Amino acid sequence: MKYNVEDCEIVELPIVHTESGNITVMENQLTLSFDIKRIYYLYDVPMNAERGGHAHYELQQYVVAASGSFTFILDDGKNKKEFFLNHPNKALHIKAGIWREMKNFSSGSICLVLASLEYSEKDYIRNYTDFLNFRNRK
Ligand code: T46
């Protein structure tokens, strides 16, 4: 199945408020629609840096601005959609087969990613023409 940008959405995660601060929890099967196989985070990203520029065949992910803010541009080969992440209780669910670009990282921002699969370079599509061919394949 091929997903579209309309299938990708920002999920509002529950917040446990306490007098000394908040907690947000992400749990396999409960809050998340897949079991987490890998966690990674981007940090010390220069403010003018642009990351991404690829898609994944199978991988799906939740992306959270654990600190600061940044913008994701998702692209399904026909439509693009921009998502601004700026709060730790908002998780962008990126489905498989979607091209992504990331920009506008604020100073000190941390981009936390919960991934459905282990890292594999074979799952990447790093060339945009290859991506469009993949999208147009039946
Ligand atoms: C996404 C954004 C938010 C590893 O060795 N293991 C890993 O788990 C990852 C994610 C990366 N790497 C290596 C592979 C490359 O040599 O780190 C280097 C940069 O990786 P990548 O091009 O994947 O980095 P980003 O920040 O452009 O993209 C990553 C994810 O791939 C992408 O799916 O949504 O972070």
Side-chain angles (χ1 to χ4, degrees):
M1 165 158 183
K2 291 215 171 89
Y3 295 101
N4 299 318
V5 288
E6 295 305 326
D7 299 314
C8 301
E9 55 177 6
I10 290 183
V11 179
E12 291 230 359
L13 304 166
I15 304 175
V16 181
H17 296 273
T18 78
E19 279 179 13
S20 46
N22 300 332
I23 300 178
T24 286
V25 183
M26 289 179 264
E27 284 182 87
N28 290 340
Q29 307 301 329
L30 292 175
T31 4
L32 308 177
S33 61
F34 56 81
D35 283 349
I36 301 164
K37 295 270 174 53
R38 175 170 50 118
I39 295 172
Y40 62 91
Y41 36 99
L42 314 180
Y43 58 99
D44 288 348
V45 181
M47 284 171 75
N48 56 356
E50 298 194 355
R51 301 189 65 113
H54 58 257
H56 296 276
Y57 290 108
E58 300 290 341
L59 182 73
Q60 53 170 324
Q61 309 189 109
Y62 286 94
V63 179
V64 177
S67 183
S69 61
F70 42 80
T71 301
F72 265 68
I73 299 132
L74 302 185
D75 177 352
D76 60 23
K78 287 206 171 75
N79 296 301
K80 292 186 184 190
K81 200 167 169 185
E82 200 165 297
F83 295 88
F84 180 59
L85 289 167
N86 67 344
H87 197 277
N89 89 315
K90 292 194 171 80
L92 173 61
H93 187 185
I94 307 177
K95 301 274 181 87
I98 302 286
W99 188 268
R100 84 271 337 255
E101 313 270 354
M102 297 103 81
K103 61 179 188 182
N104 298 338
F105 287 87
S106 68
S107 174
S109 58
I110 300 175
C111 173
L112 172 67
V113 184
L114 312 179
S116 65
L117 296 171
E118 292 87 359
Y119 171 73
S120 168
E121 191 58 38
K122 287 188 189 145
D123 189 57
Y124 280 74
I125 313 171
R126 291 196 183 269
N127 176 288
Y128 195 72
T129 306
D130 292 345
F131 169 68
L132 290 179
N133 289 338
F134 162 73
R135 290 296 314 197
N136 292 328
R137 224 178 287 147
K138 289 251 161 110

